[in-house]
Amino acid sequence: MKSSSPSLSRRSFTLAAASTALAACTTARVETAKVTPPVAATTTPPPPVAKPVRPIRVGLALGGGAARGFAHIGVIKALEARNIKVDLVAGTSAGSVVAALYASGMNGFAINKLALTMDEASISDWAMPFSTRGFLRGVALQNYLNTTLRDRPIEKMTIPLGIVATDLHNGQPILFQRGNTGVAVRASCSLPSIFDPVKIGGREYVDGGLVSPVPAAFARKMGADFVIAVDISARPETAATDSQFGVLMQTFTIMGQSIKTYELDKYADVVIRPALNAMAGSDFGQRNAAILAGEEAVAKMMPELERKLAAARVATA
């Protein structure tokens, strides 16, 4: 029998080598296919970080109106009863008196008690001999506030306080946020020809109601996101004009109508108007009725107030 030829042996060796190489390549492809996919392709993305909600700052703007200012106390009591937190307060004229007491940390019931024991004579000091610029000096009101507040200055109040007065020289409004509280309130309440103008830092100031009957713009300037304004002024057609004081108050009411309307429309979110048509600005005997009118006005406005306050919170979220 003949042995295999050299060419056949070489051909068989070549085929065997090729088969071995092909098997090696196939094995390599299988091992590569088993490699674990990239981690990023299977990892769940982290949840989004919740944006912190900034609480809105509620400002209370208390307007002027002489004895009708007792209604502000009722408004404060009613807001507290409904857990409406006030973060800052601005006051004009009679509103500045209540604003100062409230900013000091007194709640509505404490201010109510103080109002009922207040003697009108204790805050009235006739200018003797009569001044050609006013019948009352206003120092008694200044001392009454400072004694009640233990001489606490404006910048040391529990919540931020702003008191509005008018520069007698140039007619510009000023917002007192520092200094002697009693002096600033006296200036804000200095109704021309009734009270002497008040000199502060070389300038003279009179009633803030001349330039800002309800200081909604100043509450906004102090940082309020939401302004609750309290308008206690009389409507011109309902005011009593049978006395010198009545005529004077009517004059200021007429003068302040357009200013007040503009300021409230532009800067106030809610305007509370206690029903005080039967009360004159000089009638301190109806303080209980005025306080009750303030409470009733808040109760009436509460649905609108809550709705607008909720919308404001959503808008700032």
Side-chain angles (χ1 to χ4, degrees):
M1 186 176 199
K2 293 182 178 180
S3 60
S4 301
S5 66
S7 60
L8 179 61
S9 298
R10 285 195 298 270
R11 190 161 47 247
S12 299
F13 177 78
T14 301
L15 289 173
S19 299
T20 301
L22 180 61
C25 290
T26 303
T27 303
R29 283 197 296 271
V30 171
E31 290 176 353
T32 302
K34 292 180 180 179
V35 175
T36 304
V39 175
T42 59
T43 302
T44 304
V49 178
K51 181 181 178 180
V53 178
R54 180 181 68 84
I56 67 171
R57 300 188 77 199
V58 177
L60 186 61
L62 305 181
R68 297 158 68 98
F70 287 106
H72 290 315
I73 301 171
V75 169
I76 290 171
K77 288 174 62 180
L79 292 176
E80 289 178 336
R82 291 162 176 81
N83 297 316
I84 304 296
K85 181 180 179 293
V86 173
D87 300 292
L88 59 91
V89 58
T92 288
S93 197
S96 72
V97 178
V98 179
L101 295 172
Y102 184 49
S104 74
M106 296 177 67
N107 63 26
F109 283 97
I111 303 173
N112 194 152
K113 182 179 179 180
L114 185 67
L116 296 181
T117 59
M118 179 190 295
D119 180 10
E120 185 181 349
S122 67
I123 59 173
S124 302
D125 50 352
W126 295 96
M128 299 296 289
F130 286 134
S131 168
T132 57
R133 308 179 80 193
F135 298 110
L136 299 170
R137 292 189 301 150
V139 176
L141 174 62
Q142 170 185 319
N143 291 340
Y144 176 83
L145 258 297
N146 281 337
T147 299
T148 303
L149 300 175
R150 298 181 180 179
D151 294 315
R152 192 188 307 188
I154 299 171
E155 67 272 18
K156 297 295 184 180
M157 293 298 174
T158 302
I159 64 173
L161 168 66
I163 297 171
V164 181
T166 305
D167 189 315
L168 184 60
H169 175 69
N170 59 23
Q172 293 299 308
I174 183 169
L175 180 69
F176 290 110
Q177 292 184 275
R178 298 185 62 83
N180 189 297
T181 305
V183 173
V185 169
R186 175 188 169 194
S188 184
C189 293
S190 291
L191 196 65
S193 77
I194 298 295
F195 286 90
D196 278 339
V198 180
K199 184 171 286 188
I200 303 173
R203 303 190 73 84
E204 291 187 313
Y205 297 95
V206 292
D207 199 298
L210 294 174
V211 289
S212 183
V214 186
F218 290 99
R220 190 76 67 179
K221 182 177 181 180
M222 290 170 64
D225 303 301
F226 189 90
V227 176
I228 302 172
V230 187
D231 178 13
I232 58 170
S233 61
R235 296 199 309 270
E237 64 271 19
T238 63
T241 56
D242 55 355
S243 67
Q244 182 180 2
F245 183 78
V247 171
L248 183 62
M249 290 299 293
Q250 174 74 334
T251 302
F252 285 112
T253 298
I254 295 170
M255 289 170 55
Q257 283 298 297
S258 58
I259 300 173
K260 181 184 70 176
T261 300
Y262 170 79
E263 187 165 2
L264 293 180
D265 286 347
K266 186 174 177 65
Y267 297 105
D269 294 284
V270 172
V271 181
I272 297 172
R273 292 184 171 92
L276 299 168
N277 292 341
M279 182 177 180
S282 58
D283 193 354
F284 281 80
Q286 292 197 55
R287 61 189 76 183
N288 263 326
I291 293 170
L292 180 59
E295 294 183 54
E296 292 175 341
V298 172
K300 183 178 180 180
M301 289 292 298
M302 205 58 206
E304 179 183 347
L305 175 55
E306 289 181 328
R307 176 175 55 80
K308 289 186 174 181
L309 196 53
R313 287 177 175 139
V314 170
T316 57

